[in-house]
Amino acid sequence: MAPLPSPSAAEYVQAAKAGIESVEYIDDLIREYLLFRGFKQTLRALEQDLERDQDKGFDAGKIVDDLVSMARELRDNELLEYWRYLSFRFFSHLSPKYQRTTRMFEKRLIRLFLVSAAEKGQRGKIRAFMDKHGQTLGQQGGDWIPWLGLEYVDDPRSRPEFEAYFSDEWFASLKASLTDFVTTVFPAMAVPRILLFDRERREREALRRKVEMYERRLDGETKITALDAAGGTSGLVEDHIGAIDTITSPRLQPATVTTPAAAAAGATEAGTPSKGPGSGDGDGNGSGNDSSSGTRIRSAAAELVRATEQPSSLLKIRQEDVFLEHNAGIGLAKFSATGDLIASYDDESILKVWAPDPASAAPQLKNELDYTVSAMAWDKKHMHLLYLADESGYIHTLNANSNMMSRELVVEKRHPWVQCLLAGSTGSTLAVVGSSKPENASDVVLQIWDAGASRMAASKRLPAPSEASHGVCAALNHNDKMVALGLSSGYVRLIDTRSLDVVTTLKTRQRDLCAVDFSLDEDSLAVVTEVGGLTQWSLRKGGQMLAQSTLDIGAAAHGSNSGGGGGYGIVPQDSRLDVDRVVFTPDKENVVVAPRSQCLVFNIASAALTDTTRRHKDLVTCIDYAADKSLSASDDGTIRVACYRKV
């Protein structure tokens, strides 16, 4: 049998990780082989060694459980001896930059032991430990000094030096971050070839999934062809959206249009009576007919009238703070899912993770990276994980609890420039849109990754539209089963993330499109252009335009407000928007934009400017929104965080 080709570094790490997770299975294979060969004494020796296995089958959870149990049960000698074994066996082989992390966890385990002894009233245990190790700890200075007198404190819970260590939150954080650290360490080891046995099987599995994907695609095309031949609309968009579990929520209110007739006129422009909204670009969508066109227009107008009868909420700023975290211009900044942490990256390749709340106990991280970050996203399920895409097509994972960095995901080599990086809401799903060049969004590939398993679930190169595009934007729906991909040329593709089939394509005729998002009930899409055009498109009514309005960003950015709802007008070049300076609020009722040096908050229903942040000294480079607050990062090195209230 011919040997497999040598794997790349990323493939090796992925194969090693899969092999380590299969250690128990490999142990069983070895047992079976020894029995088959009749090596009974060797088998008995193997069983005895497995009973004494300090590596716990490379199960990070079991290792951490043992460490925690030793600390909780006050077995300090066993704890220190086991930690020394792990340090020699695993941690000593890590890069020197991780030695600080190793010492940090050793310190936390010792403090867990001391806290447990204090909780159980075992002052003698504390005294004996300090008699043996106190001098070494005292030489470390710093925050160890108060701990040397712990045995003499009557109620350490009430002292600010010790209070946090007695909380359940600190214990849970220690256990979770230590488990993540140990899990990350194992794949970094040089593993024996037997642990890479699974590589060929996984390659076959990937080929099998690709074949199934193509089969499903062929089945879908056959269905569309059959429906077209029958002379009716396919209803493919409505079938897909209806099949997705949607959340119960109020309908997103469309921006103001002069009359229902205007909405009908917009619908006629978006989809002619003889075609569906996306049938002319060759992406495999069903086409309409003359008899149903009038019905669709009347339905769109009626839906607009019903929507505008609903009340809307306005956002007002209740507090605003400015932070000087960087000495250089900031290119990227993102909130964590809860808004408790901010990751910011500047022009000197400094990445910081910090909390805007001064009272937060969250870790403050600072790393100087040896690569350029082009996109970032926080995991919304494992909220301590931050994904960073570099210009070479790699996606790095930063554990914000342990400050451990790993490189596991590799973007398609011919499309290394990551235009969009989206983290899913229901799991460790990552949607990656890559292009061959930064300024070329016509030739793109869409990849769906299972970041938790470090494997690619699906990948597809999307057909180029009939008109060239220089930018791309994207949005995932609430259960990560659909992605809306908007091109600056005005096309919006709705794609099934499981098969990567293009469900439909909207030809919005909105030039310089820079932002797209689903409505809260996912019945429609909202689209924003670089000059502040705001339109909404129905996903259940044949892709008809529901509303059209204007965000008056030109006047607002230069200090005046003439309201919204009129024509697009002339927007100065320095006030035009881009994908990094438009963000929708979680309730989809408001949109925040940053045309120049400040954020403007617009209500989507009325297109009215409801509030503005204070100005930066330089231009805003990116904005984000999470929970009830927004951030804006600037070339002047500052980040402004604004908290909002609804009125």
Side-chain angles (χ1 to χ4, degrees):
M1 178 178 177
L4 289 172
S6 299
S8 65
E11 290 172 338
Y12 178 86
V13 170
Q14 187 171 352
K17 183 177 180 180
I20 287 172
E21 293 172 351
S22 306
V23 163
E24 291 186 7
Y25 175 66
I26 296 175
D27 289 343
D28 289 337
L29 290 181
I30 294 175
R31 288 190 186 96
E32 185 178 337
Y33 173 77
L34 294 176
L35 283 173
F36 174 73
R37 294 296 307 274
F39 299 153
K40 295 182 179 179
Q41 291 184 354
T42 307
L43 177 61
R44 282 195 293 269
L46 174 65
E47 295 293 353
Q48 291 172 0
D49 284 341
L50 289 175
E51 289 178 2
R52 299 189 298 266
D53 180 23
Q54 290 184 294
D55 297 341
K56 310 300 178 185
F58 299 101
D59 187 326
K62 292 181 180 178
I63 291 176
V64 172
D65 286 343
D66 272 9
L67 288 168
V68 169
S69 296
M70 293 173 187
R72 286 292 203 186
E73 296 169 8
L74 309 184
R75 293 181 284 149
D76 53 315
N77 291 330
E78 294 180 45
L79 173 66
L80 296 177
E81 183 180 350
Y82 192 28
W83 185 259
R84 281 194 293 269
Y85 167 80
L86 294 175
S87 298
F88 177 78
R89 177 83 165 86
F90 303 114
F91 307 150
S92 61
H93 302 293
L94 294 175
S95 170
K97 65 181 180 180
Y98 294 127
Q99 297 309 310
R100 178 176 173 271
T101 304
T102 304
R103 292 193 297 270
M104 176 193 70
F105 281 118
E106 181 181 14
K107 179 173 73 173
R108 291 183 179 180
L109 286 170
I110 292 175
R111 290 184 176 180
L112 177 62
F113 162 78
L114 296 172
V115 166
S116 301
E119 287 179 328
K120 296 179 180 180
Q122 297 287 332
R123 295 178 181 269
K125 278 284 186 179
I126 301 176
R127 184 181 305 111
F129 183 87
M130 289 301 179
D131 288 343
K132 188 174 183 180
H133 304 285
Q135 183 176 359
T136 302
L137 297 178
Q139 290 174 350
Q140 298 179 18
D143 57 353
W144 268 118
I145 301 301
W147 290 84
L148 300 178
L150 178 64
E151 64 174 299
Y152 304 107
V153 180
D154 292 333
D155 185 13
R157 288 178 180 271
S158 62
R159 297 290 295 272
E161 301 94 330
F162 311 117
E163 180 182 6
Y165 298 94
F166 286 86
S167 66
D168 294 336
E169 291 79 5
W170 180 82
F171 175 72
S173 174
L174 168 62
K175 193 170 182 180
S177 57
L178 183 55
T179 303
D180 288 341
F181 174 68
V182 176
T183 302
T184 307
V185 165
F186 288 151
M189 299 187 304
V191 298
R193 286 179 296 173
I194 192 172
L195 288 181
L196 303 178
F197 83 103
D198 206 30
R199 179 178 164 221
E200 187 175 6
R201 183 193 64 79
R202 289 186 292 103
E203 289 177 348
R204 289 197 302 269
E205 181 68 16
L207 289 174
R208 183 188 64 79
R209 289 196 300 269
K210 186 175 292 187
V211 170
E212 290 179 351
M213 180 183 69
Y214 285 128
E215 288 176 347
R216 289 195 301 269
R217 183 184 303 169
L218 288 174
D219 290 342
E221 291 176 353
T222 303
K223 175 183 176 183
I224 295 171
T225 304
L227 287 167
D228 287 344
T233 57
S234 67
L236 187 58
V237 179
E238 188 164 355
D239 291 343
H240 261 270
I241 301 299
I244 296 174
D245 299 329
T246 55
I247 51 179
T248 304
S249 58
R251 180 182 301 279
L252 171 64
Q253 300 181 13
T256 305
V257 186
T258 51
T259 64
T268 305
E269 180 184 5
T272 60
S274 59
K275 288 186 178 182
S279 60
D281 72 335
D283 274 326
N285 305 294
S287 57
N289 54 44
D290 293 344
S291 61
S292 62
S293 177
T295 302
R296 290 200 305 272
I297 293 174
R298 286 191 295 273
S299 299
E303 186 171 349
L304 171 65
V305 172
R306 289 194 302 271
T308 53
E309 293 173 354
Q310 301 182 22
S312 63
S313 60
L314 304 180
L315 277 186
K316 289 289 186 181
I317 297 174
R318 60 178 175 83
Q319 179 182 340
E320 186 176 351
D321 299 297
V322 60
F323 300 88
L324 181 57
E325 291 290 329
H326 293 264
N327 297 321
I330 301 171
L332 294 170
K334 290 286 185 182
F335 276 122
S336 61
T338 58
D340 296 331
L341 290 176
I342 294 175
S344 50
Y345 173 80
D346 67 22
D347 296 340
E348 295 179 347
S349 295
I350 300 297
L351 173 70
K352 300 188 72 174
V353 177
W354 51 283
D357 182 3
S360 173
Q364 312 287 311
L365 307 181
K366 179 180 179 180
N367 293 289
E368 184 174 358
L369 306 181
D370 57 1
Y371 50 84
T372 301
V373 178
S374 59
M376 68 168 61
W378 284 92
D379 195 305
K380 296 180 181 177
K381 183 178 180 182
H382 306 286
M383 298 185 188
H384 60 289
L385 298 181
L386 174 67
Y387 303 110
L388 306 168
D390 68 22
E391 291 182 341
S392 300
Y394 291 97
I395 298 178
H396 309 255
T397 304
L398 172 67
N399 185 325
N401 288 339
S402 62
N403 201 23
M404 287 284 293
M405 185 83 74
S406 61
R407 185 178 71 179
E408 297 182 350
L409 312 183
V410 185
V411 181
E412 207 270 339
K413 293 182 179 178
R414 288 172 295 181
H415 300 80
W417 187 267
V418 176
Q419 296 274 1
C420 298
L421 183 63
L422 304 175
S425 301
T426 59
S428 295
T429 300
L430 271 183
V432 183
V433 181
S435 66
S436 56
K437 298 178 181 179
E439 68 279 0
N440 180 18
S442 297
D443 180 20
V444 298
V445 63
L446 173 62
Q447 293 182 329
I448 305 298
W449 285 86
D450 181 351
S454 299
R455 68 176 182 87
M456 186 191 302
S459 178
K460 181 178 181 180
R461 183 177 179 180
L462 301 177
S466 57
E467 303 175 44
S469 296
H470 62 269
V472 61
C473 55
L476 284 166
N477 75 330
H478 81 281
N479 59 10
D480 309 329
K481 294 182 179 178
M482 303 291 287
V483 60
L485 195 66
L487 303 177
S488 60
S489 57
Y491 291 92
V492 179
R493 291 188 175 113
L494 196 65
I495 301 172
D496 188 323
T497 58
R498 294 157 293 185
S499 63
L500 294 191
D501 290 334
V502 178
V503 180
T504 192
T505 299
L506 301 178
K507 188 174 182 181
T508 67
R509 301 183 186 276
Q510 304 299 305
R511 302 297 302 178
D512 297 326
L513 186 154
C514 67
V516 62
D517 204 354
F518 291 90
S519 63
L520 195 59
D521 60 8
E522 300 186 358
D523 274 351
S524 62
L525 286 175
V527 171
V528 176
T529 68
E530 293 180 9
V531 296
L534 173 64
T535 53
Q536 294 171 84
W537 302 83
S538 173
L539 295 178
R540 296 186 182 273
K541 303 296 182 182
Q544 298 299 320
M545 183 192 290
L546 298 177
Q548 180 177 10
S549 61
T550 302
L551 308 177
D552 200 352
I553 61 174
H558 287 81
S560 63
N561 179 20
S562 59
Y568 290 171
I570 299 176
V571 176
Q573 186 65 33
D574 61 0
S575 295
R576 294 172 73 93
L577 305 174
D578 58 41
V579 65
D580 293 322
R581 294 184 292 155
V582 180
V583 62
F584 293 87
T585 58
D587 60 10
K588 316 299 183 182
E589 294 180 357
N590 301 273
V591 61
V592 182
V593 301
R596 284 180 56 81
S597 58
Q598 66 182 146
C599 287
L600 314 176
V601 185
F602 288 93
N603 177 256
I604 293 179
S606 62
L609 179 66
T610 63
D611 215 337
T612 64
T613 65
R614 297 188 183 94
R615 295 180 184 272
H616 291 269
K617 294 180 180 178
D618 211 329
L619 296 179
V620 171
T621 56
C622 60
I623 64 175
D624 197 19
Y625 198 104
D628 63 342
K629 47 185 173 282
S630 69
L631 70 79
S632 58
S634 171
D635 276 333
D636 63 11
T638 63
I639 290 181
R640 287 189 176 274
V641 176
C643 299
Y644 296 85
R645 60 184 175 86
K646 285 188 175 183
V647 296

